[in-house]
Amino acid sequence: MSTPVYLGMPVAPRGVGHLRGEPFPAAARRALADSQLRRNLGRATATIRAKRAAVVGELPDWEELRLAGEAIKTGTMAHLDRYLEQLESQVTARGGVVHWARDAVEANRIVVDLVRATGASEAVKVKSIVTDEIGLNEALAAAGIRARETDLAELIVQLGHDRPSHILVPAIHRNRAEIRDIFLREMGDAPPGLTDSPAALTEAARLHLRRAFLSARVGISGANFAIAETGTLCVVESEGNGRMCLTLPEVLITVMGIEKILPTWADLGVFLQLLPRSSTGERMNPYTSMWTGVTPGDGPQQFHLVLLDNGRTAALADPAGRSALHCIRCSACLNVCPVYERTGGHAYGSVYPGPIGAVLSPMLTGVGDNATLPYASSLCGACYEVCPVKIDIPSILVHLRARHVEETHRPTPEAVTMAAASWVLATPGRLRAGQRAGRLGRLLSRDGRIRRLPPPLAGWTAARDAPAPPAQTFRDWWRSR
Ligand code: SF4
């Protein structure tokens, strides 16, 4: 068992396992030119938004639930080291094995070694963003092990040699006709006359996956929650594929970010109400699987839990941004975000897209590695309003923008302007001189408006005009009376 990584101990190497591509503005510009993508996204997010609003509106104590979720997460993060040790001792006492991974490289090495030790060349997977974060499928493939995604949307993404673009609905950028084409082209056993009706597509996927479930010796999952007091892991999903992966194979390997822990079962009760209503717009989750260690003769006979840091302790060390770790990956913030709705998830260049991705990715990798993401927001605040654990995403975005400016030490035009304004406003004499100088702006005006300014202020008037300065300042007017 390798060394645990806690707050105060050496911080994990950053950035490993996160996708990096072109900066957000360039990727977003390309995505905006794809009208089919915008139609797919617009339709899908509008449907999920409406479902969520309806079921959340049913609960008179929704705000109290959100407050409870926020308080539990804040308290857990304050004592994360203690709860992680408790989880480790409980899982171990019940026959499981706990592994600690500082980063993606360590986590992948642990999982590859565990699968190799079974002699298997294939593993079935439950949908898991954290394994996307560390690039586990690629690491397994490099070791000659085939990882088969079993969640329908993840299967579509995998067969399409694509990347997920949404936390909850990874293939949200695809429509039914595109999915049918992918199945016919890549699945191998899809019926030749396959139509694009949802029933036909899911039946084709069901038959395709059934063979994989029945022959798999290794299952790999993430975890939505882990309960420290008993060492219980919890996965919530909608299709039942997760239940198959978690119960049929002989060996189960779960990779979990260290922030997913909850102290008690009572805490889980709060999140099992918050999560389904915020994510799929359902009152309760269709499949909620829980397991504690191993049970002789029932389910997997080997259970390994890989606890992953990969930048999380660094995020925890930032008091202004650490609440990003409270995220329960419901994706409600994506579905209300006007930026996400137009650009889609791929433009973020990270496995965590949308508003939470714009804060979480730079926090996990270091702001320098994802510098454009904190600017991928209009700061409208819609994400904060829907977040079930009340993460103030707009404030964290502003905080990360400030960190970026400080770290790059490049004064922005806005900072220079503000510094100049601060100097002018500091004394009455400077203000008077500044107002006199400002009156020169009248020379550039026509009909009381300034429509074009010389460089470097030309950018300001490229898309707007400004009122001409008044002929008389307020002070002059006061003195004249
Ligand atoms: S930030 Fe909040 S709304 Fe967004 S995915 Fe996380 S928990 Fe859900």
Side-chain angles (χ1 to χ4, degrees):
M1 203 178 299
S2 52
T3 317
V5 185
Y6 296 141
L7 249 187
M9 297 186 71
V11 162
R14 293 164 158 198
V16 187
H18 290 276
L19 303 171
R20 289 198 212 127
E22 57 188 337
F24 181 83
R29 202 166 294 126
R30 213 157 18 78
L32 287 170
D34 185 343
S35 53
Q36 179 66 53
L37 173 75
R38 286 215 309 280
R39 264 196 302 278
N40 294 352
L41 281 167
R43 209 172 298 132
T45 52
T47 307
I48 308 175
R49 268 200 311 268
K51 277 181 78 181
R52 177 206 164 269
V55 294
V56 162
E58 292 173 351
L59 289 188
D61 61 347
W62 181 250
E63 278 314 305
E64 286 75 13
L65 269 173
R66 290 177 78 207
L67 285 167
E70 181 189 27
I72 292 166
K73 283 288 184 182
T74 305
T76 308
M77 293 302 147
H79 303 288
L80 188 59
D81 51 350
R82 202 172 74 206
Y83 292 125
L84 285 169
E85 284 183 333
Q86 190 183 7
L87 177 73
E88 180 185 35
S89 70
Q90 292 298 326
V91 170
T92 308
R94 288 165 170 79
V97 182
V98 176
H99 308 258
W100 300 83
R102 264 177 294 231
D103 55 30
V105 175
E106 269 191 22
N108 288 335
R109 183 180 44 72
I110 292 167
V111 178
V112 167
D113 288 349
L114 289 170
V115 180
R116 272 197 181 133
T118 67
S121 58
E122 196 168 290
V124 284
K125 280 187 71 206
V126 191
K127 176 172 173 286
S128 151
I129 313 174
V130 81
T131 58
D132 291 340
E133 175 190 322
I134 61 176
L136 179 61
N137 287 7
E138 292 75 12
L140 287 168
I145 299 161
R146 182 182 179 195
R148 298 182 73 142
E149 296 292 350
T150 63
D151 172 85
L152 178 57
E154 286 283 357
L155 178 70
I156 295 163
V157 168
Q158 189 175 44
L159 290 175
H161 310 287
D162 203 352
R163 285 190 286 125
S165 64
H166 190 278
I167 291 176
L168 185 73
V169 200
I172 196 169
H173 54 290
R174 298 285 193 192
N175 61 27
R176 285 185 289 162
E178 290 175 303
I179 295 166
R180 182 203 50 209
D181 294 346
I182 290 172
F183 279 10
L184 286 171
R185 200 175 60 236
E186 304 283 341
M187 214 177 225
D189 52 1
L194 182 66
T195 69
D196 67 0
S197 83
L201 293 173
T202 46
E203 179 65 2
R206 196 176 77 85
L207 295 172
H208 174 74
L209 290 171
R210 188 54 54 113
R211 280 180 279 279
F213 288 132
L214 293 175
S215 60
R217 286 161 56 199
V218 180
I220 297 175
S221 82
N224 292 94
F225 306 102
I227 302 161
E229 67 177 349
T230 55
T232 303
L233 277 293
C234 175
V235 163
V236 297
E237 38 109 19
S238 301
E239 298 169 12
N241 67 299
R243 178 74 53 86
M244 302 268 221
C245 289
L246 297 167
T247 54
L248 288 175
E250 296 153 31
V251 178
L252 174 60
I253 304 166
T254 298
V255 184
M256 185 190 99
I258 52 174
E259 81 283 16
K260 292 297 184 74
I261 198 164
L262 294 175
T264 68
W265 279 84
D267 300 325
L268 182 66
V270 172
F271 291 97
L272 290 185
Q273 294 177 75
L274 287 171
L275 182 55
R277 287 180 195 259
S278 301
S279 55
T280 47
E282 290 166 307
R283 295 188 182 94
M284 67 180 283
N285 213 71
Y287 290 87
T288 303
S289 301
M290 298 187 210
W291 69 99
T292 310
V294 292
T295 306
D298 184 12
Q301 296 302 292
Q302 271 187 50
F303 169 53
H304 296 272
L305 175 61
V306 182
L307 292 172
L308 176 75
D309 183 325
N310 208 33
R312 285 159 176 78
T313 46
L316 195 60
D318 180 347
R322 68 192 325 191
S323 62
L325 294 176
H326 298 181
C327 174
I328 56 173
R329 314 281 190 265
C330 71
S331 76
C333 57
L334 277 65
N335 301 327
V336 297
C337 176
V339 176
Y340 176 86
E341 189 179 336
R342 282 156 186 83
T343 64
H346 289 159
Y348 292 79
S350 161
V351 295
Y352 300 109
I356 186 58
V359 295
L360 198 57
S361 304
M363 294 202 68
L364 294 180
T365 62
V367 178
D369 275 356
N370 269 302
T372 55
L373 287 185
Y375 299 92
S377 168
S378 64
L379 301 180
C380 69
C383 48
Y384 181 33
E385 280 171 29
V386 296
C387 178
V389 284
K390 291 179 79 77
I391 301 173
D392 186 354
I393 295 175
S395 295
I396 304 178
L397 287 166
V398 172
H399 163 68
L400 291 176
R401 290 178 189 185
R403 255 178 64 181
H404 173 234
V405 170
E406 280 159 20
E407 284 174 17
T408 50
H409 298 297
R410 266 202 307 268
T412 61
E414 190 184 14
V416 171
T417 310
M418 287 299 152
S422 158
W423 186 81
V424 170
L425 294 170
T427 68
R430 284 181 208 156
L431 176 60
R432 203 174 307 119
Q435 287 176 326
R436 245 182 253 129
R439 247 178 281 164
L440 292 174
R442 292 178 64 76
L443 299 175
L444 301 169
S445 68
R446 266 211 344 246
D447 306 327
R449 311 294 297 175
I450 299 175
R451 295 196 167 79
R452 192 175 298 166
L453 283 168
L457 302 172
W460 174 260
T461 46
R464 57 179 86 73
D465 60 10
Q472 190 181 33
T473 67
F474 173 76
R475 289 161 162 230
D476 293 341
W477 174 84
W478 185 261
R479 207 175 295 116
S480 70
R481 285 170 170 242

